[in-house]
Amino acid sequence: MIFCNGEIKGLSDLKGKKVRTGNRTLAEFVEALGGTGVTMAFSEVVPALQNKVVDCAITGTLSGNSAKWHEVSTHIYALPVGWSQVMHAANVRTWNKLAPPVRSFLQAEIARLEDAIWKAMDNETQQGFDCNTGRGRAHHGHQGEDDAGAGERGRSRTAEEEC
């Protein structure tokens, strides 16, 4: 997610803005869009947004929510960027020594794991977005006008899902 002090309707709106990133690769992404990538520690972001050291900051929805970035920014652009990549690999000689049923089992289970990871990422991203925008307040017993028609977003949350 991209948390900003100022309206952001798309990535082109990062042009001319100072954007906190967590690593150099993401800073280069911001620079390719015409912004200035500012690499800084996560713990420095709240004061940097408050003191206008940066205009925007990038992190995940749940981490931004737990750090209260939504309290020091005016807008959130709902585009997950900067996710870490994960890869599972096996040495081909070792793999080929495995019995075919074992290889088939592992391939099927890795595919299930991959699907579960993508679903969890989608759910956690949505949960964090809901919490950052006030839609996740249903667990507090509040149903406001903007919760009407929210469907899944307006549902009651379990303790594990609280904002």
Side-chain angles (χ1 to χ4, degrees):
M1 289 301 136
I2 306 172
F3 294 76
C4 288
N5 280 322
E7 189 172 19
I8 177 171
K9 293 181 180 179
L11 293 175
S12 62
D13 292 333
L14 294 179
K15 185 175 183 176
K17 294 198 177 353
K18 296 175 286 184
V19 182
R20 177 272 180 184
T21 65
N23 59 58
R24 188 67 207 142
T25 301
L26 203 47
E28 290 174 3
F29 172 74
V30 168
E31 290 164 6
L33 296 168
T36 301
V38 179
T39 305
M40 74 171 52
F42 189 82
S43 62
E44 297 174 8
V45 175
V46 168
L49 283 166
Q50 288 173 320
N51 298 318
K52 303 191 182 335
V53 173
V54 294
D55 303 301
C56 302
I58 298 174
T59 195
T61 59
L62 286 176
S63 56
N65 183 260
S66 67
K68 309 290 187 207
W69 288 17
H70 59 286
E71 294 180 1
V72 295
S73 58
T74 61
H75 292 76
I76 299 173
Y77 186 61
L79 176 67
V81 292
W83 287 96
S84 299
Q85 302 298 315
V86 176
M87 183 182 98
H88 296 92
N91 178 289
V92 72
R93 283 182 276 181
T94 302
W95 179 258
N96 289 335
K97 289 179 186 176
L98 296 173
V102 172
R103 289 194 305 249
S104 294
F105 172 79
L106 290 172
Q107 287 173 319
E109 291 303 307
I110 292 290
R112 282 183 30 175
L113 174 63
E114 180 181 353
D115 186 52
I117 290 170
W118 280 110
K119 285 178 182 173
M121 189 264 320
D122 285 343
N123 289 337
E124 290 176 5
T125 296
Q126 186 62 55
Q127 178 191 349
F129 185 72
D130 290 349
C131 290
N132 283 300
T133 59
R135 293 181 184 146
R137 63 180 179 248
H139 68 278
H140 293 295
H142 177 80
Q143 282 289 101
E145 290 178 19
D146 53 345
D147 289 323
E152 180 69 12
R153 291 182 190 154
R155 70 182 172 78
S156 295
R157 304 225 185 257
T158 65
E160 295 82 21
E161 297 175 297
E162 288 187 11
C163 299

